Amino acid sequence: MKATIYKNSTGTHGFDLPEKEALKWLNKGQKRVLVSINNSEAYHAAIQSLKPSGFRIQISQAKLKELNIQVGHEINVTLSQDIHPVQFHVPEEWTAVLEQDVDAEKVFQSLRPGNQRSILFLINKLKSTEKRIEKSLRIAELLKSGITNARKMA
């Protein structure tokens, strides 16, 4: 399907999703999907309802830059089912830390998926492997100490 990138009044970027396409996923209980833009590697995203005006999918400024697209550009969008348990990219560094720290893994697995995604976002946003390792180790310690809110980990 075709869509156009826009920037809304709150400064976030995204594209509108036709109601028929959105309901195809939402009626199956799938709010989270994989999105491929212009045949790029798919990324995890959520279908958002904008009552009463329709549906949209947000796209980060980093993803816009990576794909070399801007506000007003027309894009080709392909949606597919997101079958990953967390429905978010899990960095290798985090996987390695959890493999070595069973207690942190138990706490992480007990969290709601949204909280898990928030924690993964904190790690994913770091550019260097070294920083992702440091952050992963710090978050594992925080989880074991009872801190499970991603906002308190930032």
Side-chain angles (χ1 to χ4, degrees):
M1 95 185 118
K2 293 202 179 290
T4 303
I5 297 293
Y6 68 86
K7 183 176 182 177
N8 68 18
S9 60
T10 62
T12 60
H13 297 84
F15 56 89
D16 291 328
L17 200 57
E19 182 175 1
K20 184 177 179 180
E21 183 68 21
L23 293 178
K24 177 175 103 174
W25 297 97
L26 295 174
N27 287 339
K28 292 189 280 186
Q30 296 178 316
K31 180 180 178 180
R32 301 211 42 99
V33 293
L34 290 173
V35 178
S36 175
I37 295 176
N38 297 339
N39 297 315
S40 68
E41 183 178 336
Y43 69 95
H44 303 272
I47 298 172
Q48 298 179 321
S49 177
L50 303 172
K51 296 177 183 175
S53 62
F55 303 90
R56 76 168 174 208
I57 291 181
Q58 288 187 344
I59 182 170
S60 69
Q61 289 184 348
K63 184 61 74 176
L64 289 172
K65 185 176 180 180
E66 174 188 324
L67 298 174
N68 196 28
I69 53 179
Q70 299 175 2
V71 172
H73 282 185
E74 186 174 86
I75 56 174
N76 290 309
V77 178
T78 305
L79 302 181
S80 57
Q81 184 177 1
D82 190 344
I83 59 171
H84 189 278
V86 182
Q87 298 175 322
F88 204 80
H89 173 72
V90 180
E92 293 176 27
E93 298 83 358
W94 180 243
T95 301
V97 166
L98 292 186
E99 285 173 354
Q100 296 175 13
D101 192 334
V102 178
D103 293 333
E105 181 183 19
K106 284 180 185 176
V107 176
F108 182 74
Q109 295 302 330
S110 74
L111 301 175
R112 294 184 7 211
N115 200 4
Q116 291 177 348
R117 285 189 292 272
S118 295
I119 289 169
L120 294 172
F121 176 79
L122 292 175
I123 301 165
N124 279 320
K125 72 180 184 177
L126 300 171
K127 294 182 181 184
S128 78
T129 301
E130 187 176 299
K131 293 287 185 189
R132 287 192 301 270
I133 292 169
E134 289 174 15
K135 188 67 148 184
S136 294
L137 291 168
R138 182 171 178 266
I139 289 173
E141 291 304 316
L142 291 171
L143 287 173
K144 292 187 298 185
S145 74
I147 297 172
T148 58
N149 184 328
R151 289 182 183 181
K152 294 179 181 178
M153 296 175 179

